[in-house]
């Protein structure tokens, strides 16, 4: 049924009605820091990368901090990856920070390119980020598709669409004279009005054209993308001494570049972790990554002469490790 109603709406009619979206954006755009003041394309890129997987309220302080430390790509290229990770700690999805560092190194003193085709060649920049920076900072008529825009378009058409269909539809709808504003208007609509649950159709500027709003369940679109979390049991060991804590450099895609307490997954590795230590179990905690739910048992042991200890503040730590150290601190205060 949806497809037949969709084909009854001519593209011209749809585009004319969609102009109301820009009028709505002019009045209701979220007062985000990078909209209130004029920011460079580099600062715009930082915002896009940080906010891809981080909530707005959490991401804004990171954006402020990172742009102040690195006002251009060259200033980042001249620093260390570890210093960037230190500023990024707690923001999650650390591959973003590592890619940002690679990007700054790749530019090698050159300014950030302007076009979609050039931006997308850089490390860590995908179609969404390239389109956002090219359209918002340089007015290139290229459409963005993020989770918010995917939701708005799927509901507008009341169709479960493939990525390629979504891209085509976003390009067809794009206002080519105000492409940056258009993309941001679509994102704001998705985050403020066409929310995943309880979309506010009565306040929506494109309600007239929206097919999902004519149904009893607009939330039916888009199809949910479920990620199955694997449950994993892990053990960690907090080794404390007068000069700090034993911390190791983490490896791998998720936490590579950060530091953390000795960590093991599975029974065999746990035995190895605790071998030769008089370890005491002090508690447990749970931590979620996108694909993994960790059940972590926390042990502590005294430092030995061969242990290299560091102050936790001196290195970048993941949220998981900061949770572990908080649990350890709480245990220490109960003991004292
Ligand atoms: S009318 Fe409702 S379902 Fe349609 S785009 Fe607006 S908020 Fe979303």
């Amino acid at each position: 049924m949806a497809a037949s109603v969709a084909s009854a709406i001519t593209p011209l009619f749809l585009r004319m009605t969609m102009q109301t979206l820009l009028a709505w954006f002019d009045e209701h755009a979220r007062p985000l820091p990078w909209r209130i003041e004029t920011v460079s394309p580099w600062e715009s890129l930082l915002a896009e990368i940080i906010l891809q997987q981080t909530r707005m309220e959490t991401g804004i302080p990171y954006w402020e901090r990172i742009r102040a430390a690195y006002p251009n790509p060259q200033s980042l290229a001249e620093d260390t990856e570890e210093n960037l990770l230190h500023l990024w700690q707690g923001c999650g999805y650390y591959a973003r920070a590592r890619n940002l560092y690679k990007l700054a190194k790749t530019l090698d003193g050159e300014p950030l390119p302007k076009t979609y085709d050039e931006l997308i060649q850089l490390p860590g920049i995908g179609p969404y980020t390239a389109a956002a920076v090219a359209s918002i900072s340089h007015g290139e008529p290229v459409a963005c598709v993020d989770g918010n825009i995917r939701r708005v378009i799927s509901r507008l058409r009341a169709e479960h669409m493939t990525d390629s269909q979504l891209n085509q539809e976003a390009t067809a709808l794009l206002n080519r004279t105000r492409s940056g504003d258009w993309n941001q208007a679509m994102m704001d609509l998705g985050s403020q009005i066409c929310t995943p649950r309880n979309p506010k159709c009565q306040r929506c500027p494109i309600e007239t054209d929206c097919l999902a709003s004519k149904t009893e369940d607009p939330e039916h679109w888009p199809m949910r993308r479920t990620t199955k979390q694997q449950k994993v049991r892990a053990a960690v060991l907090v080794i404390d001494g007068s000069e700090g804590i034993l911390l190791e450099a983490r490896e791998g895609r998720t936490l590579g570049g950060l530091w953390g307490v000795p960590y093991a997954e599975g029974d065999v590795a746990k035995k190895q972790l605790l071998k030769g230590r008089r370890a005491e179990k002090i508690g447990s905690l749970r931590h979620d990554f996108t694909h993994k739910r960790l059940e972590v048992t926390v042990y502590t042991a005294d430092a030995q002469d061969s242990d290299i200890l560091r102050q936790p503040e001196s290195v970048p730590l993941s949220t998981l490790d900061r949770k572990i150290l908080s649990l350890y601190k709480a245990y220490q205060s109960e003991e004292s």
Side-chain angles (χ1 to χ4, degrees), residues 235-255:
V236 294
L237 182 57
V238 182
I239 294 175
D240 194 4
S242 55
E243 286 165 26
I245 302 274
L246 177 61
L247 294 167
E248 301 174 336
R250 295 242 186 271
E251 290 177 358
R253 187 174 150 65
T254 311
L255 299 181

Side-chain angles (χ1 to χ4, degrees), residues 233-240 245 250 261-264 270 273-274 278-287 294-301 320-332:
R233 280 217 308 258
V236 294
L237 182 57
V238 182
I239 294 175
D240 194 4
I245 302 274
R250 295 242 186 271
V261 297
Y263 171 98
K270 176 181 149 185
L273 177 81
L274 304 179
R278 205 178 277 169
E280 178 189 355
K281 180 177 165 181
I282 59 170
S284 60
L285 56 87
R286 206 174 70 189
H287 188 76
L294 287 180
E295 302 284 347
V296 184
T297 308
V298 183
Y299 295 85
T300 186
L320 167 63
D321 283 286
R322 287 187 289 133
K323 274 160 85 171
I324 294 165
L325 293 181
S326 297
L327 184 148
Y328 176 65
K329 267 190 194 156
Y331 159 79
Q332 274 184 315

Side-chain angles (χ1 to χ4, degrees), residues 152 155-156 189 193-195 199-201 204 206-207 210 212-213 218:
V152 170
R155 289 178 180 171
L156 184 66
L189 187 72
I193 303 286
C194 192
T195 43
K200 302 162 190 71
C201 299
C204 180
I206 60 171
E207 194 274 336
C210 177
S213 73

Side-chain angles (χ1 to χ4, degrees), residues 80-98:
T80 62
E81 183 188 81
E82 185 165 301
N83 282 343
L84 172 64
L85 284 164
H86 216 148
L87 289 177
W88 200 282
Q89 65 180 354
C91 192
Y93 296 92
Y94 297 94
R96 294 178 297 173
R98 294 193 299 269

Side-chain angles (χ1 to χ4, degrees), residues 54-73:
T54 302
R55 290 164 61 85
M56 187 68 73
E57 316 79 84
T58 311
I60 288 174
Y62 282 95
W63 178 76
E64 295 283 13
R65 211 176 300 155
I66 290 166
R67 75 160 179 157
Y70 307 115
N72 49 53

